[in-house]
Amino acid sequence: MSTAETLAERGNRMRRKVHGDERIDAMGAVDPALIAVFEQLADNGYGAVWSRTEELSLKVRCLVTAAIISTLGADTEFRAHVRGSLRAGWTKQEILEALAHTVLYAGAPRGQHAMYVALEVFAAYDAELATG
């Protein structure tokens, strides 16, 4: 991180790396004033935690985050992080295997729901790739 780069700037760069410019730009286009506080908090979080280079790679952080969120029933964020895991290089089978593991610890209803949502994300991601 350069000395001139703020935590929020570093976080915004990381969010774009994980989720893609299109998703981040779409969020800001909704109502920049309304979403400004959320984006500032997200950028600071991504700058402070996601940008750490110790011990965990970005790829691992993506899958860990998706697995954690799968237990919360927060489908919008879960979808974003499954997509981020695909963008980071995880295969569909690896993601499903991580979600299968959540069934044991978070319960069958949450784990099975997460698997169905992930399958929807996979289909949408494949369609996006096919259309370029």
Side-chain angles (χ1 to χ4, degrees), residues 58-60 62-63 84-92 94-95:
L58 176 62
K59 183 177 178 181
V60 169
C62 287
L63 188 61
S85 293
L86 290 167
R87 287 174 48 90
W90 290 104
T91 67
K92 295 172 193 172
E94 289 169 326
I95 293 168

Side-chain angles (χ1 to χ4, degrees), residues 32 38 43 49 93 128:
F38 168 78
D43 286 346
V49 177
Q93 192 57 43
E128 182 182 315

Side-chain angles (χ1 to χ4, degrees), residues 82-116:
V82 169
R83 187 176 185 283
S85 293
L86 290 167
R87 287 174 48 90
W90 290 104
T91 67
K92 295 172 193 172
Q93 192 57 43
E94 289 169 326
I95 293 168
L96 289 175
E97 188 62 31
L99 296 178
H101 201 74
T102 67
V103 170
L104 179 61
Y105 294 98
R110 291 274 190 196
Q112 289 173 335
H113 177 74
M115 286 186 175
Y116 289 122

Side-chain angles (χ1 to χ4, degrees), residues 12-91:
N12 183 274
R13 187 169 34 84
M14 181 59 70
R15 279 196 318 137
R16 289 176 179 281
K17 186 174 184 177
V18 172
H19 299 295
D21 289 334
E22 309 78 30
R23 179 169 191 270
I24 302 305
D25 291 343
M27 288 178 66
V30 173
D31 183 341
L34 184 63
I35 203 158
V37 171
F38 168 78
E39 286 195 321
Q40 181 182 16
L41 291 171
D43 286 346
N44 284 329
Y46 274 82
V49 177
W50 279 79
S51 297
R52 293 166 49 100
T53 57
E54 301 84 10
E55 310 309 323
L56 296 179
S57 67
L58 176 62
K59 183 177 178 181
V60 169
R61 289 176 196 278
C62 287
L63 188 61
V64 166
T65 302
I68 291 168
I69 293 173
S70 76
T71 69
L72 302 175
D75 286 1
T76 300
E77 283 301 305
F78 177 63
R79 288 175 192 281
H81 286 282
V82 169
R83 187 176 185 283
S85 293
L86 290 167
R87 287 174 48 90
W90 290 104
T91 67

